[in-house]
Amino acid sequence: MTTDQGQRIVSWHGNPSRPRYTPPAGAVDAHCHVFGPMADFPFSAKAKYLPDDAGPDMLFALRDHLGLDRNVIVQASCHGTNNAATLNGIARSNGKARGVAVVDPAISEAELAALHDGGIRGIRFNFLKRLVDDAPKDKFLEVAKRLPAGWHVVIYFEADILEELRAFMDAIPVPLVIDHMGRPDVAQGPDGTDMKAFRNFLDSRDDIWFKATCPDRLDTTGAPWNAFADAVAPLVADYQDRVLWGTDWPHPNMQDAIPDDGHLVDMIPRIAPTERLQRKLLIDNPMRLYWPEEWDR
């Protein structure tokens, strides 16, 4: 779907349903993005897609519509290493958003400190070739060793390169958060090759977190995404203290299969069927990772 501006892309639902499931008070959408507005925050010249504007006002309106309370805004690849749009979203959230940045590995300590002051609590390394041209592991590792206290590294990759990345990820000296579980083939089921490999990775250290997210990306059967629910629920149950959830709004590059965000929220009780699990998924875990100063009080 494109807008009347020609090549600019709309990848989000224009009228998402209200979820049947009611999240607990304080629930966190721990994986979402903002796009622009382009007039204020231009997109990177290296961007692989050019989205229409999806700024903080839209994000926070969706948050309220879905019954959520906080956001973790993850820098989208279309903004490159200029985190101004993400920082703007955090600044306009009245304390209800934190963020994950994408940085030039040569970033200075002063610049990292400024990102921390702006609400950033981690950096993201993207290994999807369709989204980035260069992913220098040696430089990534160097900057990972210089992060402010309490930060983590978010990594986005596809299941077929998990083993290739293991030595690199093992060397990162801060907690890891894996986007979308490393994109396993959920059609294989909970005991499939991809999920077994991911479990083996999670078992290798106790500070690897993951996002049980994106049924719309991972389950080709379409809504209600039964294959995703069947494959992911056991993973959530077995690693319940290290799992996060998010909408992935505004769903970059999903313009041909745009999900209804209300239906995404309705996946929560299917992968976390008890109130205890739901609280860990939506409140305890993201608060511990992104708002530890509030969580420790």
Side-chain angles (χ1 to χ4, degrees), residues 4 9 16 22 50 54 59 62 116 123 201-202 218 247 261 275 291:
D4 58 5
I9 297 167
T22 301
L50 184 63
L59 176 63
L62 178 72
H116 185 88
I123 59 173
F201 175 52
L202 291 174
L218 303 182
T247 58
D261 299 279
E275 288 186 11
W291 284 272

Side-chain angles (χ1 to χ4, degrees), residues 4-52:
D4 58 5
Q5 300 174 59
Q7 63 187 16
R8 297 189 69 185
I9 297 167
V10 172
S11 54
W12 56 91
H13 199 291
N15 187 28
S17 62
R18 193 171 295 279
R20 295 188 302 274
Y21 168 69
T22 301
V28 181
D29 178 351
H31 187 91
C32 54
H33 315 279
V34 290
F35 296 154
M38 189 171 74
D40 300 317
F41 307 103
F43 299 108
S44 168
K46 297 180 181 179
K48 302 297 186 181
Y49 60 97
L50 184 63
D52 205 354

Side-chain angles (χ1 to χ4, degrees), residues 2 95-96 161-163 166 190 236 239 242:
T2 57
K96 291 190 171 186
I161 65 167
L162 171 57
E163 287 307 312
R166 281 292 298 268
V236 173
Y239 300 90
R242 296 193 267 155

Side-chain angles (χ1 to χ4, degrees), residues 99-266:
V100 173
V102 174
V103 302
D104 184 319
I107 189 171
S108 70
E109 273 66 28
E111 290 169 316
L112 286 170
L115 289 176
H116 185 88
D117 291 343
I120 299 296
R121 292 298 180 266
I123 59 173
R124 189 189 201 201
F125 300 150
N126 192 330
F127 289 93
L128 267 64
K129 291 181 173 59
R130 63 180 173 78
L131 294 178
V132 294
D133 294 321
D134 187 31
K137 295 177 190 172
D138 56 338
K139 294 179 181 178
F140 282 172
L141 189 56
E142 191 276 331
V143 71
K145 296 176 179 178
R146 299 191 291 112
L147 297 179
W151 281 32
H152 58 271
V153 166
V154 176
I155 304 182
Y156 189 22
F157 60 85
E158 294 177 307
D160 62 342
I161 65 167
L162 171 57
E163 287 307 312
E164 174 189 329
L165 290 177
R166 281 292 298 268
F168 161 72
M169 293 191 290
D170 289 347
I172 294 174
V174 298
L176 305 178
V177 178
I178 308 303
D179 277 346
H180 319 322
M181 301 164 290
R183 296 183 64 111
D185 179 359
V186 296
Q188 298 173 354
D191 299 316
T193 302
D194 287 355
M195 201 61 86
K196 283 184 176 179
F198 190 63
R199 283 173 171 266
N200 180 64
F201 175 52
L202 291 174
D203 290 340
S204 69
R205 50 192 277 192
D206 60 10
D207 64 346
I208 303 173
W209 304 57
F210 65 95
K211 298 173 185 173
T213 44
C214 291
D216 50 305
R217 292 185 188 276
L218 303 182
D219 188 346
T220 58
T221 64
W225 307 298
N226 292 328
F228 180 93
D230 292 344
V232 174
L235 191 72
V236 173
D238 290 345
Y239 300 90
Q240 57 190 264
D241 294 317
R242 296 193 267 155
V243 60
L244 307 168
W245 176 87
T247 58
D248 190 40
W249 186 91
H251 316 294
N253 295 298
M254 291 299 290
Q255 60 271 14
D256 296 324
I258 297 173
D260 181 325
D261 299 279
H263 295 168
L264 294 174
V265 172
D266 285 334

